[in-house]
C-alpha cells in the first residue's frame, strides 16, 4: 500500500533538517532518482574533465613555502631563464655479490646499456631516442663513482629531456623495458630509479591498494551491518548511501584537481577511509531509529519524522562537528594538505546531505519492508537497553570512581610513548619493496653508504661580488669541517652568476636527528657568522634533510593552531547544543585521552617496531609529519558522532522527566549497541588500511582504528557513564552569565501527527530495537 504523508498541523515549525527529511519522504521516487543522477553525474563529470590530477608521491612541488623550498626558487630566478631543456636522470643499478666482473653481471650491464641506448619514444607525434646519453659505468672515470667500493654493484646513468607531459611520453617505454631486463637477468639485482619512475610505480601501488581496500571494506561492512540489523534489506540501505557518497566525493576531488590544484596522491584513499565509515555510521543511526520507531507501533511517516527529528538531528550536528574539525586543516598553508582536507570534507558533506534526502526517501519506499530477509539468530527482537555493553555501562555507574580512575590510568599508560614521538617525512625507503625504484634506492644506499644520495646545499645571493665570493670560499671549508658532512664541497653558479649553490655531501638519511642538528647549526651559526656582515646578501640552507626539518617544524607549529581551532569550535558547538559548560569540557578531556592512546600506539608500532613483522612495518621508522594532526582532526570529528548521538538520548530521557542518573543509564544503554556496531564498522574499515602497502596509509589507518576502538569502548561505555554518574546534575550546569546563549535544539518532539495516518507498517518478529548486537 502506498505511504501517505499528510501535512502536519503544528504550532511550532519543525527545524529545516526535519522538513527536508519529510519532504524527501513525501517525494520519495523523484528524490531517489535525483540523488543517483547527482552523485553519479558528478563522478562522470570529473572523468570527462580528465579524472583526478595528482602530484607525485615523492614530489616537493606545490608544498608550503619553507626556506628550503625558497632556496631553489631564488637560485632558479637568478638571471635570465636558461634555454636548456629540463633533464631527468635515470639510474639503473646492477648488483651481484660475486662481483660485477662476473659473467652474469657483465651480461646484465651489456644488456642494460644496449637497451637504454636503443630505446625509442614518440613525443608530439615525432619518433626519437628516449635518452640523450647513456653512461656505461665500466667506461666512466673512477671519479664518477659509478662502481661501488666493493665492486659488487654498478650504476648506469641515462638522461631524458623534458618535463610534464613531454617527459611522460618520453619515458613511457621505460617501465616495460626494465621489466624485460629483470626477467632476462634474474640471477642479478637489477632495478631503475628516478623521480618519474618512482612516482609512476607508486601511483600503481596507490591505485591497486585503493581497489583492494574497496574489495575488502565493502563486504566486511555489509557483514557487520547484517549482524547489526539482522536483515538483508536494512543492511543494504547504508551501503548504497556509502557507495554513492564515495562516487560524488571522487567527482568533487577530480573537478577540484583539474580546476584548482593537483591533489595529494593519498586523497582518494582518504575519501574511502573516511567516507565509507562516516556514510555507513550516519545511515546506521537513522535506520536503527527508524526501525525502533516502527517497532513501537508508529506508521512509516511518523517513524521517518521521529528518526530525522532525533537521530537525524544528531547526525546533522555530528557531521557539522566533523566538517568543522577537518576545516581546521585548511589553516595550514600547504596545497596538498588542503586537498586532503577538501576531499574528506566533501565526502562527509555528501553523506550528511544523503542522510536527509536519500535515506528518508528510501525508507519511505521500503516502509516495513526494511526488515525483510531476516538473518536467523541476529534478526531476533531484543529489548532496548539490554546486552553486554549495556551491562558494562551499568557496572561502570555502580562503581564510578574506581572504574573511572582505572580506565583513565590505562589510557594514560598507553599514551605515554607519545613523549618519544619522532616526526619525519617518508622517502623511498618507506615504500614497499614491490616497487622497483625502492629496491634500487635500497641497493644504492647499501653499496654507496657515504651518503652520495643526500646533500646539504646553501644558496647564496650576490655571489658575483668579491666579498661574497670570499665568504663562499670560507663556507666550503666550514661545511666540510662539520661532522656528518664531507667534501669536497662544490660551487655551482646560477645562469647569470648572481647566485651560487654550495653543496656538501651528507651522511645518513633525511630523517636522522643528527642531520637536523647539522641544518640548524649551519642556519643559526655558520650562515650568520659568514654572511651576516655582508649587506643585502642572503644565504638559504636547503637539501632533503633541510626540507624535512622545515616540514616537521611547519606541522608542529600548525598543530597548535589546528588544536586551538578544533577544540574551540567543538566547545562552542557542544555548549550551544546542550546548554552546559561541563559537557563540552568533559568531551574535550575524554577525546584527548583517546588521541593520546592513538599516538602512543603509533609510536610503539612504527617507531619501535611492536608487532612490526605482523603488520609489515619496518622498525626504526618515523611518523609522517602530517599524520598526528590529521588523526586528531578526524578523530575529534568522528568522536562527536558518538558523543552527540549518546547525549541526545540522555537529554531526551532527562527532558521527559527522568532523574540525571536514570537518564544517563538509559541513554547510554539504549545507544550502546548502535554505537558498538558503528564503531565496529569504522574499526574494520580503518583496520583494512593497515594491511595496505603504503606506510602513510598504514599510519592513518592504525591511528584512527585504535582511536575509534578506544573511543567507542573505554570512553563511551566506561569513562563517560562513570564521570556523568559522579557529576550528577552538575553535568548540565550553565553559569547564569551565559543564560543569553541561544537555544539550539538537537532533538524535537516526535509525537505522532494528528489527522489521518499512513497505513501501519508491517511489523514482524524480525523487527529489532536499535541494535540486536547489544542495544
Amino acid at each position: 500500500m502506498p505511504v501517505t504523508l499528510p501535512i502536519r498541523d503544528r504550532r511550532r515549525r519543525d527545524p529545516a533538517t526535519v522538513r527536508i527529511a519529510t519532504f524527501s519522504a513525501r517525494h520519495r521516487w523523484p528524490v531517489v532518482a535525483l540523488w543517483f543522477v547527482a552523485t553519479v553525474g558528478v563522478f562522470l563529470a570529473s572523468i570527462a574533465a580528465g579524472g583526478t590530477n595528482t602530484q607525485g608521491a615523492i614530489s616537493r612541488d606545490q608544498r608550503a613555502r619553507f626556506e628550503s623550498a625558497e632556496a631553489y626558487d631564488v637560485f632558479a630566478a637568478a638571471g635570465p631563464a636558461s634555454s636548456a631543456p629540463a633533464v631527468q636522470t635515470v639510474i639503473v643499478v646492477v648488483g651481484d655479490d660475486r662481483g660485477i666482473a662476473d659473467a652474469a653481471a657483465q651480461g646484465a650491464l651489456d644488456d642494460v646499456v644496449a637497451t637504454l641506448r636503443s630505446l625509442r619514444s614518440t613525443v608530439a607525434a615525432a619518433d626519437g631516442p628516449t635518452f640523450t646519453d647513456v653512461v656505461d659505468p665500466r667506461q666512466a672515470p673512477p671519479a664518477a663513482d659509478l662502481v661501488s667500493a666493493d665492486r659488487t654493484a654498478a650504476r648506469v646513468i641515462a638522461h631524458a629531456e623534458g618535463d610534464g607531459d613531454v617527459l611522460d611520453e618520453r619515458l613511457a617505454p621505460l617501465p616495460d623495458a626494465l621489466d624485460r631486463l629483470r626477467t632476462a637477468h634474474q640471477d642479478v639485482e637489477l632495478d631503475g630509479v628516478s623521480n618519474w619512475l618512482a612516482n609512476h610505480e607508486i601511483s600503481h601501488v596507490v591505485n591497486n591498494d585503493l581497489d583492494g581496500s574497496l574489495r575488502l571494506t565493502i563486504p566486511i561492512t555489509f557483514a557487520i551491518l547484517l549482524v547489526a540489523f539482522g536483515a538483508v534489506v536494512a543492511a543494504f540501505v547504508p551501503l548504497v548511501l556509502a557507495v554513492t557518497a564515495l562516487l560524488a566525493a571522487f567527482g568533487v576531488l577530480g573537478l577540484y584537481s583539474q580546476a584548482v590544484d593537483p591533489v595529494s596522491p593519498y586523497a582518494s584513499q582518504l575519501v574511502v577511509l573516511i567516507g565509507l565509515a562516516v556514510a555507513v555510521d550516519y545511515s546506521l543511526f537513522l535506520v536503527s531509529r527508524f526501525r525502533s520507531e516502527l517497532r513501537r507501533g508508529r506508521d512509516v511517516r511518523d517513524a521517518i519524522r521521529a528518526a530525522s527529528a532525533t537521530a537525524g538531528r544528531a547526525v546533522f550536528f555530528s557531521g557539522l562537528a566533523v566538517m568543522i574539525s577537518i576545516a581546521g586543516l585548511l589553516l595550514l598553508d600547504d596545497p596538498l594538505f588542503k586537498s586532503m582536507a577538501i576531499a574528506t570534507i566533501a565526502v562527509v558533506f555528501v553523506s550528511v546531505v544523503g542522510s536527509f534526502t536519500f535515506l528518508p526517501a528510501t525508507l519511505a519506499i521500503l516502509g516495513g519492508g526494511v526488515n525483510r530477509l531476516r538473518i536467523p539468530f541476529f534478526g531476533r527482537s531484543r529489548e532496548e537497553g539490554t546486552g553486554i555493553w549495556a551491562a558494562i555501562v551499568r557496572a561502570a555507574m555502580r562503581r564510578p570512581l574506581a572504574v573511572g580512575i582505572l580506565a583513565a590510568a590505562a589510557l594514560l599508560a598507553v599514551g605515554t610513548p607519545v613523549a618519544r614521538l619522532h616526526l619525519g617525512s617518508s622517502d623511498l625507503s618507506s615504500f614497499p619493496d614491490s616497487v622497483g625504484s625502492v629496491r634500487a634506492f635500497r641497493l644504492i644506499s647499501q653499496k654507496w653508504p657515504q651518503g652520495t644520495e643526500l646533500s646539504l646545499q646553501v644558496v647564496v645571493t650576490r655571489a658575483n661580488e668579491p666579498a661574497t665570493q670570499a665568504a663562499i670560499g670560507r663556507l666550503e671549508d666550514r661545511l666540510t669541517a662539520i661532522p656528518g658532512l664531507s667534501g669536497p664541497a662544490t660551487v655551482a653558479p646560477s645562469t647569470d652568476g648572481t647566485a651560487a649553490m654550495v653543496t656538501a655531501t651528507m651522511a645518513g638519511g633525511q630523517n636522522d636527528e643528527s642531520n637536523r642538528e647539522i641544518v640548524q647549526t649551519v642556519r643559526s651559526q655558520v650562515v650568520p657568522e659568514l654572511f651576516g656582515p655582508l649587506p643585502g646578501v642572503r644565504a638559504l640552507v636547503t637539501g632533503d634533510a633541510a626540507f624535512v626539518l622545515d616540514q616537521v617544524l611547519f606541522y608542529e607549529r600548525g598543530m597548535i593552531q589546528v588544536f586551538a581551532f578544533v577544540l574551540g569550535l567543538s566547545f562552542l558547538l557542544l555548549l550551544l547544543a546542550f546548554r552546559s559548560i561541563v559537557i563540552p569540557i568533559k568531551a574535550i578531556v575524554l577525546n584527548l585521552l583517546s588521541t593520546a592512546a592513538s599516538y602512543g600506539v603509533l609510536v610503539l608500532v612504527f617507531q619501535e617496531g611492536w608487532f612490526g613483522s605482523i603488520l609489515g612495518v619496518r622498525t626504526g621508522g618515523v611518523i609522517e609529519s602530517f599524520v598526528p594532526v590529521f588523526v586528531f582532526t578526524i578523530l575529534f570529528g568522528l568522536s562527536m558522532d558518538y558523543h552527540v548521538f549518546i547525549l541526545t538520548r540522555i537529554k531526551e530521557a532527562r527532558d521527559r522527566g527522568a532523574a540525571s542518573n536514570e537518564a544517563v543509564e538509559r541513554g547510554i544503554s539504549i545507544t550502546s549497541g548502535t554505537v558498538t556496531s558503528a564503531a565496529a564498522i569504522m574499526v574494520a574499515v580503518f583496520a583494512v588500511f593497515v594491511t595496505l602497502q603504503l606506510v602513510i596509509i598504514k599510519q592513518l589507518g592504525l591511528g584512527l582504528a585504535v582511536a575509534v576502538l578506544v573511543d567507542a569502548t573505554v570512553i563511551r561505555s566506561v569513562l563517560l557513564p562513570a564521570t556523568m554518574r559522579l557529576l550528577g546534575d552538575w553535568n548540565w550546569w550553565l553559569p547564569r552569565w551565559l543564560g543569553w546563549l541561544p537555544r539550539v535544539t538537537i532533538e524535537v518532539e516526535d509525537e505522532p501527527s494528528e489527522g489521518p495516518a499512513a497505513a501501519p507498517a508491517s511489523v514482524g518478529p524480525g523487527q529489532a530495537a536499535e541494535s540486536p548486537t547489544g542495544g
Side-chain angles (χ1 to χ4, degrees):
M1 179 182 295
V3 179
T4 58
L5 299 176
I7 299 175
R8 180 181 302 272
D9 186 15
R10 291 191 163 274
R11 284 179 289 179
R12 187 177 67 182
R13 198 180 187 196
D14 284 339
T17 52
V18 178
R19 296 200 304 273
I20 292 171
T22 53
F23 174 88
S24 299
R26 187 177 300 114
H27 303 87
R28 49 200 179 278
W29 287 110
V31 168
V32 168
L34 185 60
W35 175 258
F36 282 107
V37 169
T39 54
V40 178
V42 170
F43 177 70
L44 294 177
S46 72
I47 293 177
T52 303
N53 182 21
T54 61
Q55 275 280 8
I58 59 172
S59 173
R60 300 290 194 211
D61 296 338
Q62 298 200 20
R63 295 291 186 98
R65 294 293 87 188
F66 310 140
E67 176 181 333
S68 52
E70 184 186 2
Y72 290 116
D73 292 342
V74 168
F75 185 74
S82 171
S83 59
V87 175
Q88 175 97 170
T89 299
V90 175
I91 301 174
V92 178
V93 60
V94 175
D96 190 337
D97 290 338
R98 296 163 296 188
I100 60 168
D102 185 79
Q106 287 292 310
L109 285 169
D110 288 340
D111 201 2
V112 168
V113 172
T115 298
L116 296 183
R117 286 175 175 171
S118 63
L119 205 62
R120 302 186 69 82
S121 309
T122 301
V123 179
D127 179 72
T130 297
F131 298 106
T132 56
D133 65 289
V134 177
V135 180
D136 188 332
R138 297 164 297 184
Q139 300 172 4
D145 199 24
L146 298 185
V147 177
S148 65
D150 63 1
R151 304 196 65 79
T152 61
R155 295 181 290 179
V156 179
I157 307 297
H159 298 99
E161 291 184 350
D163 54 14
D165 293 339
V166 170
L167 188 64
D168 289 341
E169 293 180 346
R170 184 88 65 196
L171 293 180
L174 181 60
D176 289 340
L178 288 175
D179 286 340
R180 292 193 299 270
L181 287 168
R182 277 188 288 261
T183 301
H185 301 280
Q186 299 182 23
D187 49 350
V188 300
E189 295 181 78
L190 192 158
D191 284 296
V193 62
S194 74
N195 282 343
W196 182 91
L197 191 60
N199 285 318
H200 174 81
E201 293 171 335
I202 291 170
S203 67
H204 279 288
V205 173
V206 172
N207 292 333
N208 290 338
D209 272 0
L210 184 61
D211 294 340
S213 66
L214 287 171
R215 284 194 295 268
L216 283 172
T217 52
I218 289 179
I220 290 173
T221 300
F222 186 61
I224 296 174
L225 287 170
L226 285 177
V227 173
F229 286 132
V232 173
V233 174
F236 190 68
V237 172
L239 215 55
V240 174
L241 174 63
V243 171
T244 52
L246 291 181
L247 289 176
F250 284 141
V252 171
L253 186 65
L255 294 174
Y256 173 88
S257 72
Q258 295 293 338
V260 184
D261 274 321
V263 300
S264 166
Y266 310 112
S268 295
Q269 300 261 19
L270 287 172
V271 167
V272 177
L273 182 71
I274 306 303
L276 191 59
V278 167
V280 172
D281 254 21
Y282 293 165
S283 302
L284 184 64
F285 293 159
L286 278 159
V287 176
S288 294
R289 187 62 186 252
F290 172 74
R291 298 174 78 220
S292 179
E293 296 301 326
L294 287 181
R295 185 173 180 270
R296 290 170 60 185
R298 294 196 171 185
D299 60 41
V300 172
R301 189 277 309 272
D302 280 323
I304 290 172
R305 183 187 177 279
S308 61
T310 51
R313 294 280 290 169
V315 163
F316 173 77
F317 279 93
S318 297
L320 187 61
V322 174
M323 288 185 282
I324 286 174
S325 295
I326 300 170
L329 301 176
L330 300 177
L331 296 173
L332 304 182
D333 185 22
D334 185 333
L336 295 189
F337 200 58
K338 285 182 178 179
S339 71
M340 291 191 287
I342 288 170
T344 312
I345 291 173
V347 75
V348 175
F349 176 77
V350 175
S351 299
V352 171
V353 171
S355 298
F356 288 99
T357 55
F358 173 76
L359 275 184
T362 302
L363 293 176
I365 291 171
L366 293 174
V370 74
N371 294 299
R372 288 175 185 159
L373 303 178
R374 288 189 299 116
I375 306 298
F377 179 75
F378 295 111
R380 74 177 190 269
S381 177
R382 177 172 292 174
E383 184 182 352
E384 289 185 333
T386 62
I388 183 172
W389 290 107
I392 292 173
V393 169
R394 295 187 180 98
M397 294 189 70
R398 282 196 298 270
R399 297 178 178 83
L401 186 60
V403 168
I405 291 175
L406 184 62
L411 292 182
L412 288 173
V414 175
T416 51
V418 73
R420 304 189 294 276
L421 181 67
H422 181 47
L423 299 179
S425 181
S426 298
D427 57 16
L428 267 178
S429 65
S430 66
F431 290 95
D433 287 334
S434 60
V435 178
S437 294
V438 174
R439 296 192 298 270
F441 177 84
R442 292 189 187 283
L443 183 58
I444 292 172
S445 300
Q446 176 188 351
K447 297 300 181 179
W448 286 266
Q450 305 306 315
T452 55
E453 299 303 316
L454 192 67
S455 61
L456 181 135
Q457 298 161 321
V458 182
V459 173
V460 183
T461 62
R462 306 185 73 167
N464 54 344
E465 299 178 3
T468 308
Q469 291 173 353
I472 290 174
R474 294 192 296 272
L475 175 64
E476 296 178 53
D477 297 332
R478 288 292 301 274
L479 290 180
T480 55
I482 297 175
L485 295 179
S486 60
T490 62
V491 180
S494 65
T495 305
D496 63 358
T498 60
M501 180 180 290
V502 183
T503 303
T505 299
M506 177 176 277
Q510 64 181 23
N511 292 302
D512 292 353
E513 193 63 41
S514 58
N515 285 337
R516 295 183 187 181
E517 293 174 0
I518 290 173
V519 173
Q520 291 174 323
T521 297
V522 174
R523 284 176 172 172
S524 62
Q525 298 178 25
V526 177
V527 166
E529 178 185 332
L530 296 179
F531 300 98
L534 304 178
V537 176
R538 301 183 68 199
L540 305 173
V541 181
T542 186
D544 286 342
F547 188 91
V548 171
L549 173 63
D550 289 344
Q551 190 178 54
V552 168
L553 293 176
F554 171 79
Y555 284 117
E556 285 179 347
R557 288 191 294 264
M559 194 177 298
I560 298 174
Q561 294 176 275
V562 173
F563 272 47
F565 177 85
V566 172
L567 295 179
L569 286 183
S570 297
F571 178 87
L572 290 176
L573 182 65
L574 290 176
L575 176 65
L576 290 173
F578 295 102
R579 292 188 63 81
S580 163
I581 200 169
V582 177
I583 282 177
I585 292 174
K586 185 152 53 67
I588 288 172
V589 172
L590 294 180
N591 285 341
L592 289 177
L593 279 175
S594 56
T595 302
S598 173
Y599 288 177
V601 170
L602 285 176
V603 171
L604 291 175
V605 172
F606 291 95
Q607 288 183 205
E608 301 177 5
W610 287 37
F611 309 107
S613 58
I614 298 174
L615 299 176
V617 175
R618 296 184 181 91
T619 305
V622 296
I623 306 301
E624 185 70 26
S625 54
F626 70 81
V627 164
V629 66
F630 208 94
V631 167
F632 170 78
T633 53
I634 298 296
L635 166 64
F636 225 85
L638 295 181
S639 66
M640 287 299 170
D641 282 357
Y642 305 144
H643 211 72
V644 172
F645 184 63
I646 292 170
L647 289 174
T648 298
R649 293 306 294 265
I650 294 174
K651 191 170 184 295
E652 191 178 334
R654 192 171 182 270
D655 290 346
R656 290 176 176 175
S660 179
N661 290 337
E662 180 187 351
V664 169
E665 181 178 328
R666 176 167 177 76
I668 299 179
S669 297
I670 287 175
T671 55
S672 60
T674 304
V675 168
T676 302
S677 300
I681 291 169
M682 278 198 178
V683 171
V685 171
F686 296 153
V688 166
F689 281 76
V690 181
T691 68
L692 304 184
Q693 298 184 67
L694 299 179
V695 67
I696 295 176
I697 299 301
K698 282 178 179 286
Q699 290 178 359
L700 287 170
L702 182 63
L704 290 172
V706 170
V708 171
L709 180 63
V710 168
D711 192 78
T713 54
V714 181
I715 298 294
R716 305 302 159 200
S717 297
V718 178
L719 276 174
L720 180 62
T723 54
M724 295 197 80
R725 173 69 177 83
L726 288 171
L727 291 170
D729 287 332
W730 283 100
N731 285 296
W732 311 102
W733 178 66
L734 183 72
R736 289 185 178 179
W737 56 272
L738 288 176
W740 57 269
L741 289 173
R743 294 183 178 273
V744 179
T745 305
I746 294 184
E747 74 290 332
V748 295
E749 292 298 324
D750 59 349
E751 75 276 2
S753 63
E754 300 170 1
S762 175
V763 183
Q767 283 193 317
E770 292 207 13
S771 174
T773 60

